Amino acid sequence: MRVRVSAVQYRLCTIASWGEFAVQVQQAVAAAAEFHPDFVLFPELFTTQLLSIGDGRGNALPFAQLPSFTQAYQDLFTRLARETGMYLIGGTHVVQRGDTLQNVAFLF
């Protein structure tokens, strides 16, 4: 059995909104799809880019804010996986589990 994996070289840059993040992810998935992979692999902790959205006063969001993006992250990757028919390995993302933050890898 042959399996083709596309590794995303994700460009971390300052963004102003969730929408900018979603567009960048969609572009990465579309670029990978051109090579017809079975799996698309995103890098570890790539969602830390979301911290650059900031608090409106010029400060980056604190690391503990990453879990607030979990549902939107899961919705985005679930939709893209369904639309493309590819398995997406969503890098890793920090989630809240009880009183702790955990770095979790999701497969969509």
Side-chain angles (χ1 to χ4, degrees):
M1 172 166 91
R2 297 183 75 167
V3 175
R4 181 173 284 196
V5 177
S6 178
V8 173
Q9 186 172 358
Y10 193 81
R11 182 176 169 264
L12 288 178
C13 60
T14 300
I15 56 174
S17 68
W18 168 263
E20 287 182 37
F21 175 79
V23 166
Q24 192 172 342
V25 168
Q26 290 169 30
Q27 290 171 342
V29 170
E34 293 180 18
F35 298 94
H36 309 288
D38 301 295
F39 293 87
V40 179
L41 174 64
F42 280 79
E44 181 175 25
L45 290 172
F46 87 102
T47 61
T48 57
Q49 179 184 35
L50 293 166
L51 300 177
S52 72
I53 292 172
D55 64 3
R57 296 183 308 259
N59 301 311
L61 294 174
F63 193 77
Q65 286 291 114
L66 277 176
S68 69
F69 294 100
T70 301
Q71 189 60 57
Y73 161 80
Q74 290 175 326
D75 292 346
L76 172 64
F77 273 79
T78 298
R79 179 178 59 78
L80 291 171
R82 286 184 179 144
E83 288 176 0
T84 63
M86 298 182 299
Y87 291 97
L88 303 180
I89 304 167
T92 60
H93 173 69
V94 175
V95 298
Q96 183 86 39
R97 296 246 170 99
D99 293 337
T100 63
L101 297 176
Q102 295 181 352
N103 189 24
V104 176
F106 290 90
L107 172 62
F108 302 92

